[in-house]
Amino acid sequence: QTAEFQKQILAECCVEEDVFLREYGAELYDGLEETLRTLKEKYELFIVSNCQNGYIDAFLYAHKLGDYFADIEMSGRTGLSKGENIELIIKRNSIDKSMYIGDTEGDEKASRYAGIPFIYAKYGFGKAVAPDAVIGRLSELPDVAAKFLD
């Protein structure tokens, strides 16, 4: 198998993944929409991910959550790292105060790269080294946001 063939197969899988996600959605964390609604009352919300181009759009479409977010960015669209994309979102939207919520050490490193606080979602998939705050469930996020953003 050539590297070019492998890239072609990966690209085709990503397209199919986006199609599937757009149609069937994903399993959501408990209280997601209620938490987003609460946060949006006081803050602008953004998504930065390492995913392929189109994945976030498919997810937001499937779950009708797009209206909660002011802007999104993904490595698959820009070719940039997560930290660089966080910086891009901050600059593009003239953001003065921000924080990043994630569940991996990579998310934490991206936050540090961008110079913003990192909130570790310990219910997620990975680990963190030295987060600025920890949440055990989504419903804790509004209180944590108030400490860092108000």
Side-chain angles (χ1 to χ4, degrees), residues 49-147:
S49 176
N50 284 337
C51 65
Q52 71 263 18
N53 189 21
Y55 188 89
I56 295 171
D57 299 302
F59 173 83
L60 295 174
Y61 177 85
H63 296 288
K64 299 179 180 25
L65 297 173
D67 289 343
Y68 290 104
F69 298 95
D71 198 0
I72 63 172
E73 199 52 83
M74 59 214 96
S75 298
R77 180 164 57 195
T78 65
L80 301 174
S81 71
K82 186 177 281 184
E84 291 168 316
N85 279 329
I86 292 171
E87 285 185 329
L88 181 64
I89 286 279
I90 290 170
K91 183 178 180 181
R92 188 162 67 205
N93 293 280
S94 302
I95 299 169
D96 293 328
K97 279 187 172 181
S98 63
M99 61 184 203
Y100 191 84
I101 299 94
D103 63 352
T104 67
E105 187 176 348
D107 293 333
E108 184 174 5
K109 287 178 180 178
S111 297
R112 301 296 176 232
Y113 178 90
I116 62 172
F118 174 67
I119 313 308
Y120 172 55
K122 71 178 178 181
Y123 53 85
F125 300 107
K127 301 286 183 199
V129 176
D132 297 293
V134 177
I135 58 172
R137 58 185 184 275
L138 265 173
S139 60
E140 297 171 13
L141 192 51
D143 290 337
V144 171
K147 291 177 186 175

Side-chain angles (χ1 to χ4, degrees), residues 5-85:
F5 180 71
Q6 291 171 346
K7 286 181 186 177
Q8 178 186 348
I9 295 296
L10 180 59
E12 290 174 17
C13 288
C14 288
V15 167
E16 290 303 316
E17 182 179 35
D18 289 351
V19 168
F20 183 89
L21 181 59
R22 181 176 281 274
E23 185 171 345
Y24 297 103
E27 187 173 333
L28 302 178
Y29 287 113
D30 289 337
L32 174 65
E33 190 162 7
E34 179 181 324
T35 301
L36 291 174
R37 190 177 307 113
T38 299
L39 289 168
K40 187 158 171 60
E41 289 174 5
K42 291 178 70 174
Y43 313 108
E44 282 190 305
L45 307 177
F46 305 88
I47 297 176
V48 175
S49 176
N50 284 337
C51 65
Q52 71 263 18
N53 189 21
Y55 188 89
I56 295 171
D57 299 302
F59 173 83
L60 295 174
Y61 177 85
H63 296 288
K64 299 179 180 25
L65 297 173
D67 289 343
Y68 290 104
F69 298 95
D71 198 0
I72 63 172
E73 199 52 83
M74 59 214 96
S75 298
R77 180 164 57 195
T78 65
L80 301 174
S81 71
K82 186 177 281 184
E84 291 168 316
N85 279 329

